[in-house]
């Protein structure tokens, strides 16, 4: 466990080899904490940052109510965005089914809407429903239960507060 933890510290640049060239080894190799060095700033490793930004924190099924009738939808919350997606449950294909022709194949998820957590302006909560508002759109969602709604609302509020240092406005109706 300690070796894996040290490797993760290297990946996010909390720790580094003294000559800045070695991956972590469980031997007598010397490492330093990055914060201990004068003038040293953390590497801006785009791939690492991209992976951290894509972590899925929550996945829930709910309904989008932007049309005449509610549409089943998958809600995915990462540490920087909220995604509403159509989900195709037959992709990837079952093993015993013959392959579909190329023109009929699609993706497992199709993103319909996405909102940056930093762009959320308010949440409006009501019985088993949540409205997520940003500067340019509002998404009205219905959940299976109040606890499912609260889980999404609380996560968005926590992420928003971590970004800005003060709470997001949540209104109950």
């Amino acid at each position: 466990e300690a070796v894996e933890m040290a490797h993760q510290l290297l990946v996010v640049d909390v720790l580094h080899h003294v000559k800045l060239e070695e991956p972590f080894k469980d031997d007598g190799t010397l490492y330093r904490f990055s914060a201990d060095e004068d003038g040293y700033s953390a590497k801006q490793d785009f791939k690492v940052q991209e992976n951290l930004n894509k972590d899925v924190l929550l996945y829930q099924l709910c309904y989008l109510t932007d049309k005449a009738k509610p549409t089943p939808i998958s809600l995915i919350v990462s540490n920087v965005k909220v995604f509403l997606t159509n989900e195709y449950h037959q992709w990837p294909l079952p093993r015993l089914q013959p392959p579909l022709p190329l023109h009929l194949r699609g993706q497992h998820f199709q993103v319909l809407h996405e909102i940056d957590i930093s762009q959320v302006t308010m949440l409006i909560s009501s019985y088993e429903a949540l409205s997520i508002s940003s500067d340019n759109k509002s998404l009205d969602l219905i959940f299976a239960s109040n606890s499912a709604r609260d889980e999404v609302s609380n996560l968005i509020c926590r992420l928003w507060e971590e970004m800005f240092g003060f709470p997001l406005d949540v209104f109950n109706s």
Side-chain angles (χ1 to χ4, degrees):
E1 283 182 54
V3 171
E4 178 60 28
M5 180 180 278
H7 177 70
Q8 292 300 321
L9 290 172
L10 276 171
V11 168
V12 296
D13 203 32
V14 170
L15 189 71
H16 66 272
H17 183 265
V18 292
K19 293 183 181 176
L20 300 174
E21 58 191 33
E22 296 284 328
F24 183 78
K25 295 178 187 170
D26 187 16
D27 60 12
T29 308
L30 299 175
Y31 298 88
R32 290 185 182 157
F33 286 100
S34 300
D36 290 343
E37 299 212 6
D38 291 335
Y40 187 86
S41 62
K43 292 182 231 168
Q44 295 300 316
D45 184 343
F46 181 76
K47 289 181 184 174
V48 170
Q49 196 65 32
E50 188 81 351
N51 289 337
L52 292 174
N53 290 344
K54 289 184 179 177
D55 288 345
V56 173
L57 302 177
L58 179 70
Y59 168 84
Q60 275 195 23
L61 299 176
C62 60
Y63 291 90
L64 178 65
T65 61
D66 65 347
K67 297 179 182 172
K69 69 177 198 170
T71 306
I73 202 109
S74 298
L75 176 122
I76 300 168
V77 180
S78 76
N79 58 2
V80 292
K81 290 190 181 205
V82 176
F83 298 94
L84 296 181
T85 67
N86 274 337
E87 187 172 350
Y88 300 103
H89 295 282
Q90 288 300 313
W91 189 261
L93 297 171
R95 286 183 287 160
L96 301 177
Q97 178 177 324
L100 286 175
L102 286 176
H103 70 281
L104 294 178
R105 293 184 189 182
Q107 297 178 340
H108 186 97
F109 291 99
Q110 176 192 15
V111 176
L112 300 176
H113 301 281
E114 68 179 75
I115 296 178
D116 286 349
I117 301 282
S118 63
Q119 300 300 312
V120 173
T121 54
M122 75 174 144
L123 300 177
I124 300 173
S125 179
S126 60
Y127 183 75
E128 294 180 354
L130 182 68
S131 180
I132 304 171
S133 298
S134 70
D135 291 335
N136 58 356
K137 70 174 86 169
S138 181
L139 301 174
D140 298 319
L141 307 170
I142 299 173
F143 294 89
S145 67
N146 287 330
S147 62
R149 177 209 59 211
D150 291 344
E151 186 177 12
V152 172
S153 177
N154 292 340
L155 178 59
I156 292 171
C157 286
R158 180 179 62 81
L159 294 170
W160 200 89
E161 189 168 346
E162 286 174 5
M163 288 180 187
F164 296 106
F166 56 92
L168 175 64
D169 290 331
V170 180
F171 299 95
N172 295 307
S173 65

